[in-house]
């Protein structure tokens, strides 16, 4: 049985159609990430699941129970907000315990749950402090602690890390991932950050203009995108897109470069296409060429070191592309070299429909 089942859900704000007929099943124990650009409807969808927004039509079921019109407090959910939403006049312990006491839990049970949550999150030493005495990361841990003591069916996270700096976001991602593994509960997590989505999710639901563009495991969406939007949204550095024309054996770029495709595609010679190449599948050419790979001479335009890797910009078929190379593969702009493109990983897109062929 699904812990969450959404059927034909719509949400209107006057004339604006924010969520457009979404169907979604989330099984028990899954960590599902709703991701997409700003304005795609992901936070509206989450808030409608929580009951903070009223559905215009459709159905929301949690734990097999229709809660479409139920109050938030009657849905057996716990939610973590972007802005922490802590009570400034309560210390950490009382912030975490607030919801339990409001539901008339016995004090020994409150103590047990608060202690366990604080230990899981590494904030047991902070229980006597007030929110003003905590860092951003510590405040977010308190907000998460207040949610997990609820022992709810469903846990909802609304961009909880967006106010933290890069290092703290990395640390908190690890904590949230570990928390899910320890608790084994169903979690729905909203973010606009595709790195967060890729690292946290069992399943990604990628939204666009209020609809689901594609859903699946992070690796499915990364390696088998259904559309140009999915291909370009997931992955860092993002996928390179190069205009091309189909040939009998592959594609021909605008500068005349021909690249063979190792697997048959539903292409007609002369058909306009877009060639998608991920930077991770472009390397420096070695002495031998593996089957399904292509060797192309290039001139380096820009070098951006990132530590163990370097992002090198170069022209290919009249388009500037980025390759993610080993740190010492290239050192300066103007360098002439040859690259090895793994054409088995190439994505071919119809420029009119923007669907992957």
């Amino acid at each position: 049985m699904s812990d969450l089942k959404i059927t034909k859900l719509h949400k209107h704000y006057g004339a604006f159609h924010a969520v457009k007929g979404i169907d979604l099943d989330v099984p028990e124990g899954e960590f599902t990430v709703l991701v997409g650009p700003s304005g795609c409807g992901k936070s509206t969808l989450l808030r409608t699941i929580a009951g903070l927004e009223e559905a215009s039509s459709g159905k929301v079921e949690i734990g097999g129970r229709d809660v479409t019109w139920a109050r938030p407090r009657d849905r057996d959910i716990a939610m973590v907000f972007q802005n922490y939403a802590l009570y400034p006049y309560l210390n950490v312990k009382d912030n975490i315990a607030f919801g339990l006491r409001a539901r008339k839990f016995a004090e020994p049970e409150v103590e047990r749950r608060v202690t366990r949550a604080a230990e899981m999150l590494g904030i047991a030493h902070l229980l006597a402090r007030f929110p003003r005495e905590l860092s951003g990361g510590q405040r977010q841990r308190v907000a998460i602690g207040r949610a997990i003591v609820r022992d709810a069916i469903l846990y909802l996270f609304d961009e909880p890390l967006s106010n933290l700096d890069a290092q703290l976001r990395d640390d908190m991602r690890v904590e949230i991932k570990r928390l899910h593994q320890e608790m084994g509960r169903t979690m729905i997590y909203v973010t606009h950050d595709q790195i967060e989505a890729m690292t946290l999710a069992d399943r990604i639901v990628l939204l666009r203009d209020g609809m689901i563009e594609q859903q699946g495991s992070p690796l499915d969406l990364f390696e088998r995108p259904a559309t140009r939007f999915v291909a370009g949204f997931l992955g860092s550095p993002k996928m390179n897109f190069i205009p091309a024309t189909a040939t009998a054996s592959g594609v021909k770029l605008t500068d005349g470069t021909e690249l063979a495709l190792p697997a048959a595609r539903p292409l007609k010679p002369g058909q306009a296409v877009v060639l998608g190449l991920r930077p991770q599948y472009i390397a420096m050419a070695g002495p031998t060429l593996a089957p399904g790979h292509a060797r192309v001479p290039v001139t380096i335009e820009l070098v951006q070191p990132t530590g163990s890797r370097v992002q090198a910009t170069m022209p290919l078929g009249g388009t500037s592309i980025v390759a993610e190379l080993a740190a010492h593969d290239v050192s300066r702009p103007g360098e002439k070299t040859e690259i090895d493109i793994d054409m088995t990983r190439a994505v071919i897109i119809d420029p009119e429909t923007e669907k992957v062929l």
Side-chain angles (χ1 to χ4, degrees), residues 9 24 29 40 62 66 105 116 144-147 149 172 184-185 191 212 222 228 233 235 238 246 288 298 323 336 339:
L9 188 69
L24 180 64
C40 70
I62 297 176
D66 186 350
F105 277 74
R116 180 171 178 270
I144 293 171
R146 187 174 56 190
V149 294
M172 286 304 301
R185 295 304 178 92
T191 181
I212 295 175
F222 183 80
R228 177 170 178 159
F233 189 87
K238 67 180 182 179
T288 59
V298 295
K336 295 184 183 298
I339 55 172

Side-chain angles (χ1 to χ4, degrees), residues 177-257:
K177 187 85 170 182
R178 182 180 291 118
L179 191 65
H180 177 252
Q181 290 174 352
E182 290 181 12
M183 294 176 66
R185 295 304 178 92
T186 311
M187 296 183 178
I188 313 292
Y189 187 103
V190 162
T191 181
H192 63 275
D193 185 330
Q194 53 97 9
I195 298 297
E196 263 179 45
M198 294 287 289
T199 54
L200 285 173
D202 294 324
R203 176 168 46 141
I204 290 175
V205 178
L206 179 53
L207 297 173
R208 181 186 188 190
D209 296 331
M211 296 181 287
I212 295 175
E213 183 82 358
Q214 189 176 348
Q215 59 177 302
S217 72
L219 199 57
D220 279 343
L221 267 65
F222 183 80
E223 293 190 335
R224 290 175 287 279
T227 65
R228 177 170 178 159
F229 176 78
V230 178
F233 189 87
L234 293 177
S236 181
K238 67 180 182 179
M239 181 178 281
N240 301 294
F241 296 111
I242 308 161
T245 304
T247 66
S249 60
V251 294
K252 184 176 183 179
L253 309 186
T254 56
D255 66 351
T257 300

Side-chain angles (χ1 to χ4, degrees), residues 1-2 15 39 54 66 71 78 85 119 130 139 176 194 198 211 221 232 234 241 277 327 346 348 354 356:
M1 183 178 69
S2 297
E54 189 175 281
D66 186 350
R71 296 175 300 177
E119 288 174 350
F130 288 84
R139 291 180 191 179
I176 291 171
Q194 53 97 9
M198 294 287 289
M211 296 181 287
L221 267 65
L234 293 177
F241 296 111
L277 298 174
I348 306 298
E354 296 202 337
V356 172

Side-chain angles (χ1 to χ4, degrees), residues 15-314:
F16 178 61
H17 199 174
V19 175
K20 303 173 182 176
I22 282 181
D23 293 301
L24 180 64
D25 281 5
V26 180
E28 182 179 355
E30 184 175 89
F31 197 125
T32 297
V33 176
L34 307 179
V35 68
S38 297
C40 70
K42 56 189 182 297
S43 287
T44 300
L45 176 58
L46 192 80
R47 290 175 64 83
T48 306
I49 294 168
L52 300 174
E53 299 283 355
E54 189 175 281
S56 299
S57 63
K59 184 186 286 189
V60 178
E61 297 172 81
I62 297 176
R65 186 167 60 96
D66 186 350
V67 297
T68 310
W69 311 112
R71 296 175 300 177
R73 64 181 298 175
D74 298 327
R75 296 188 179 213
D76 200 8
I77 61 166
M79 190 162 182
V80 180
F81 296 92
Q82 179 179 349
N83 62 355
Y84 318 136
L86 302 179
Y87 298 106
Y89 52 85
L90 297 180
N91 64 21
V92 168
K93 179 180 178 181
D94 291 339
N95 260 288
I96 296 174
F98 185 87
L100 298 176
R101 289 172 176 154
R103 289 169 175 79
K104 309 299 183 183
F105 277 74
E107 198 58 30
E109 180 65 9
V110 172
E111 289 283 340
R112 185 187 71 80
R113 292 195 184 199
V114 170
T115 299
R116 180 171 178 270
E119 288 174 350
M120 288 176 69
L121 293 164
I123 54 174
H125 63 295
L126 302 175
L127 291 177
R129 295 191 189 179
F130 288 84
R132 64 179 178 273
E133 300 172 304
L134 305 177
S135 68
Q138 290 169 338
R139 291 180 191 179
Q140 194 55 274
R141 282 182 168 87
V142 176
I144 293 171
R146 187 174 56 190
I148 66 175
V149 294
R150 280 284 320 280
D151 197 24
I153 288 179
L154 186 62
Y155 291 83
L156 307 177
F157 295 80
D158 190 8
E159 302 204 48
L161 309 185
S162 60
N163 289 334
L164 305 180
D165 63 38
Q167 184 58 57
L168 272 176
R169 281 202 304 273
D170 290 346
D171 294 343
M172 286 304 301
R173 277 206 310 268
V174 172
E175 293 299 325
I176 291 171
K177 187 85 170 182
R178 182 180 291 118
L179 191 65
H180 177 252
Q181 290 174 352
E182 290 181 12
M183 294 176 66
R185 295 304 178 92
T186 311
M187 296 183 178
I188 313 292
Y189 187 103
V190 162
T191 181
H192 63 275
D193 185 330
Q194 53 97 9
I195 298 297
E196 263 179 45
M198 294 287 289
T199 54
L200 285 173
D202 294 324
R203 176 168 46 141
I204 290 175
V205 178
L206 179 53
L207 297 173
R208 181 186 188 190
D209 296 331
M211 296 181 287
I212 295 175
E213 183 82 358
Q214 189 176 348
Q215 59 177 302
S217 72
L219 199 57
D220 279 343
L221 267 65
F222 183 80
E223 293 190 335
R224 290 175 287 279
T227 65
R228 177 170 178 159
F229 176 78
V230 178
F233 189 87
L234 293 177
S236 181
K238 67 180 182 179
M239 181 178 281
N240 301 294
F241 296 111
I242 308 161
T245 304
T247 66
S249 60
V251 294
K252 184 176 183 179
L253 309 186
T254 56
D255 66 351
T257 300
E258 294 197 30
L259 301 172
L261 289 168
R265 309 287 176 104
L267 304 177
K268 298 178 181 178
Q271 174 186 354
V273 297
V274 174
L275 171 66
L277 298 174
R278 290 209 180 275
Q280 295 82 2
Y281 301 140
I282 303 172
M284 296 295 288
T288 59
L289 197 63
H293 287 232
R295 184 192 302 266
V296 180
V298 295
T299 301
I300 304 299
E301 293 179 332
L302 185 67
V303 176
Q304 300 178 78
T306 61
S308 63
R309 309 290 289 172
V310 61
Q311 295 175 17
T313 302
M314 63 199 71

